[in-house]
Amino acid sequence: MVEGVNERGLTLTGFLFLHALFIEKGRLETTWTVLRKFGYNNDIKLSDDLIPHSSVKRAPDQSVELTNEAIEYLRGIYELFDGDL
């Protein structure tokens, strides 16, 4: 698992590999323990207190939209980490 570890520790590939092993061996509680440690609940959603609230003041009938630049930035980040591309 050379690609699973680097000088900083476990990589995403290593993390996914380990948890695939845990799940295959029926050690689901190990994976759930890690997910909960990082703030996920039983629906695999982050706790509300871990998601920063927007500092943009708006009325209840108003919304906030991302600029085209922000959307392109997020798309680039997604594509950088998407293994299927």
Side-chain angles (χ1 to χ4, degrees), residues 28-67:
L28 299 175
E29 70 279 359
T30 303
T31 297
W32 279 109
T33 299
V34 171
L35 288 171
R36 287 192 179 99
K37 175 71 177 164
F38 286 101
Y40 289 90
N41 63 22
N42 288 345
D43 296 321
I44 312 177
K45 293 184 179 179
L46 281 174
S47 305
D48 287 339
D49 59 330
L50 292 177
I51 301 171
H53 295 287
S54 173
S55 62
V56 177
K57 303 231 185 286
R58 58 185 167 80
D61 63 336
Q62 293 177 320
S63 64
V64 177
E65 296 182 20
L66 296 175
T67 63

Side-chain angles (χ1 to χ4, degrees), residues 27 38 85:
R27 299 285 315 269
F38 286 101
L85 292 178

